[in-house]
Amino acid sequence: MVSAMRLATVGVSNMKQALSLFRDIMKLKVERTGPVSPSLLKAWKVKPGTKASMAILSCKGYAMGQLRLVEFTPTPTQKVRLDFGAINPDSGTDVGAKAIDFYVADPILPSVRKIEAAGYKFRSQPVKHQIGETISEECLFSGPDGVPVLIMVGHRHFPTSMRAGSPDGPFSEIPTISIVAGDLMRTRAFYSGVLGLTAVGDAETPEAYRNMVNKLTGTPDGTRIHFLLYGDPPEASGKILCVHFFNRTGKRLTGRMKPGHLGFSLLTHDASNLDDLHQKLRVFGSEIVTPPTLITDDGKPYKLMMAKGPNEEMFEFTQSVSVPSKGRARPVSKAKPKARKKPAPKKKAVKKPAAKKPEAIKKAAKKKIAKKKKR
């Protein structure tokens, strides 16, 4: 139904500062820069009169797991999540958008030092832990405007989780983003049943590693943590990691994840059929923020729909369309066109001699009689 996550959007107050981290230090490639189109701003439901510029970055042009930085004017004050630092009204277990992740090479410490040298603070020391057969080493820092950014080494990650050759540079594309989930059953029903993504991981942190993961996530020792990982195999990047904290689950960050706020504000997935997805979301009970809408002033035309997930997630679903020179836009179908039947050959019409009129018949009869008299 939908692809892996193509874009993770982060609202920033200072584009230059954000690019100094993601482009200059992390060496991500700038794919596109420029203003956000008026129709896209309208679809995003930002305040009238708001303007924005964006920069899209990738790891060496890789299509999935790209980062879109957006700077709004006037500068927003609301943050999607603020759960670390001297002023932290939110908790790390509050339901909603959490962090964006990047792979780094082993050992992890040189990458940590690069980021620290740029003035960013880590929330924990690197933590090595195991869930099932997967072994990871991770640590979290506060990026531009406090957005949580996690870096990790995949000591033993399967091809469904880590792309071959990753990180393919100092830092990878975004292989995973994380969401704090409130209800595991409803989360499973949404990501598998509605979006059609595949659960490539579904397990609780073993007791032996629980306290280590508690330090990583900033939760009290002994807190139970369950991880649900969704993707679109064989694509390894652009996955969604839903984290559940059982009885430690905090409040819902209602209305916080959306364009126009600072931090991790939007998830973009491509859809094979936007109208079908729209219907499924309505049946599931998701809030449709923007119904399927044609966008024609943002490069190639496409249809866009925005909707909320079960954990305060904000999604942007897109579908490419073709626009004929005359007429309405048509969705681009990946199915092969049906072969047209050849028309049956037309039979040649046989011309019949024209029927003679009554006057012509009388004249011909008179001529015959006149010839007989002459004889």
Side-chain angles (χ1 to χ4, degrees):
M1 181 63 71
V2 304
S3 70
M5 182 201 71
R6 180 165 56 84
L7 291 170
T9 297
V10 174
V12 297
S13 60
N14 188 316
M15 180 67 78
K16 185 178 178 181
Q17 186 180 46
L19 286 172
S20 71
L21 170 66
F22 295 110
R23 179 194 61 197
D24 301 337
I25 296 172
M26 297 175 66
K27 302 300 180 185
L28 297 180
K29 177 187 175 186
V30 176
E31 296 288 343
R32 179 183 171 190
T33 60
V36 178
S37 74
S39 61
L40 188 53
L41 287 172
K42 185 178 179 181
W44 282 355
K45 305 292 185 184
V46 297
K47 292 179 181 179
T50 300
K51 294 183 179 180
S53 60
M54 67 174 175
I56 297 177
L57 300 95
S58 75
C59 176
K60 297 186 176 180
Y62 197 67
M64 293 296 168
Q66 296 188 355
L67 173 66
R68 177 168 59 186
L69 302 173
V70 182
E71 181 182 29
F72 292 92
T73 304
T75 303
T77 56
Q78 178 64 62
K79 294 187 177 181
V80 175
R81 178 185 287 271
L82 187 58
D83 58 6
F84 185 78
I87 302 174
N88 52 343
D90 304 323
S91 163
T93 63
D94 286 347
V95 176
K98 180 65 175 178
I100 54 175
D101 304 353
F102 297 90
Y103 278 117
V104 298
D106 188 24
I108 197 171
L109 282 178
S111 299
V112 171
R113 300 293 175 251
K114 283 182 184 179
I115 292 167
E116 285 179 331
Y120 294 97
K121 293 184 179 181
F122 276 81
R123 304 183 182 190
S124 70
Q125 292 298 311
V127 174
K128 191 173 182 179
H129 63 102
Q130 182 170 349
I131 302 175
E133 297 299 316
T134 300
I135 301 175
S136 308
E137 187 175 6
E138 307 170 338
C139 53
L140 191 71
F141 72 94
S142 296
D145 300 291
V147 63
V149 181
L150 183 140
I151 63 171
M152 62 182 168
V153 173
H155 289 290
R156 188 165 69 201
H157 281 203
F158 296 99
T160 51
S161 294
M162 187 168 78
R163 180 169 61 87
S166 192
D168 197 22
F171 293 80
S172 71
E173 69 280 4
I174 301 172
T176 313
I177 62 88
S178 57
I179 300 288
V180 178
D183 185 321
L184 283 178
M185 287 184 66
R186 190 158 174 80
T187 298
R188 289 188 183 103
F190 178 78
Y191 282 95
S192 291
V194 179
L195 300 189
L197 294 172
T198 301
V200 295
D202 190 343
E204 185 176 342
T205 301
E207 191 173 353
Y209 295 97
R210 188 173 292 163
N211 287 351
M212 294 181 186
V213 179
N214 291 155
K215 289 178 182 177
L216 177 67
T217 56
T219 51
D221 286 351
T223 301
R224 292 175 61 198
I225 302 176
H226 194 103
F227 293 97
L228 274 170
L229 184 62
Y230 287 94
D232 184 28
E235 175 58 59
S237 294
K239 301 181 301 300
I240 312 294
L241 176 64
C242 299
V243 187
H244 179 65
F245 293 99
F246 295 92
N247 63 320
R248 296 279 187 181
T249 301
K251 66 180 183 295
R252 297 182 73 89
L253 299 177
T254 306
R256 300 276 282 277
M257 186 182 188
K258 64 179 182 180
H261 287 177
L262 297 173
F264 178 25
S265 53
L266 192 60
L267 291 159
T268 302
H269 295 252
D270 296 326
S272 56
N273 190 315
L274 210 58
D275 293 328
D276 284 355
L277 179 59
H278 182 213
Q279 181 61 27
K280 282 193 171 186
L281 288 165
R282 290 180 64 187
V283 171
F284 183 78
S286 294
E287 180 184 343
I288 307 299
V289 177
T290 302
T293 301
L294 181 64
I295 306 294
T296 58
D297 56 357
D298 184 36
K300 292 182 179 180
Y302 61 92
K303 285 174 69 179
L304 173 149
M305 175 176 66
M306 290 181 64
K308 288 186 178 181
N311 305 298
E312 303 301 327
E313 311 98 316
M314 181 68 81
F315 288 92
E316 177 185 62
F317 300 108
T318 62
Q319 182 182 3
S320 297
V321 296
S322 62
V323 180
S325 55
K326 292 182 180 180
R328 299 175 65 184
R330 298 194 303 263
V332 175
S333 174
K334 294 181 181 179
K336 292 182 179 179
K338 292 182 180 179
R340 293 182 178 180
K341 292 182 179 179
K342 292 183 179 179
K346 293 181 179 179
K347 293 181 180 179
K348 290 183 179 180
V350 179
K351 289 185 178 180
K352 292 181 179 179
K356 292 182 179 181
K357 292 181 179 180
E359 292 180 3
I361 293 171
K362 287 180 180 179
K363 286 182 179 181
K366 286 180 179 179
K367 284 182 179 181
K368 283 183 180 181
I369 293 167
K371 283 181 181 179
K372 284 179 181 180
K373 286 181 177 180
K374 285 180 180 179
R375 289 175 187 171

